[in-house]
Amino acid sequence: MTISNILLFMSQGGQEGGGLMSFLPLILLVIVFYLFFIRPQMKKSKDQRKYREAIKKGDKVVTIGGIHGKVLDVKETTLVIEIDGQNRLTIEKSAVSGDNQQINQNK
């Protein structure tokens, strides 16, 4: 046996079982990304959507911009809120980030 024959046998033997094993790190990486990044973000998005759908007249809300107000009217995609000084604003439901109680619990 020559050295070239030995090298050929070694390279062929190493490739037989390497098909699945070479993809294992990639598969594990996808699983980790799903468990730590994608799944929690989907859950948070679902909770926010449920909260926005459950808003009713009289609820206190905080917008993404930090405006605190009380809901006066609920429409399909918008809310009319009253802020300090009897001022009224019409905002999109998607601009609501939470209510005062949720904000205080997170502090």
Side-chain angles (χ1 to χ4, degrees), residues 85-105:
Q86 304 299 321
N87 295 318
R88 294 178 180 202
L89 295 175
T90 301
I91 62 170
E92 291 289 323
K93 281 186 177 180
S94 61
V96 175
S97 65
D99 63 1
N100 291 332
Q101 198 171 36
Q102 286 179 332
I103 301 299
N104 291 334
Q105 287 177 354

Side-chain angles (χ1 to χ4, degrees), residues 26-40:
L26 181 62
I27 293 169
L28 290 175
L29 185 65
V30 169
I31 291 171
V32 167
F33 266 97
Y34 176 77
L35 290 175
F36 289 106
F37 296 106
I38 298 170
R39 195 172 125 226

Side-chain angles (χ1 to χ4, degrees), residues 67-70 81-89:
I67 299 172
H68 295 246
K70 182 179 177 183
I81 63 171
E82 180 181 40
I83 58 174
D84 196 27
Q86 304 299 321
N87 295 318
R88 294 178 180 202
L89 295 175

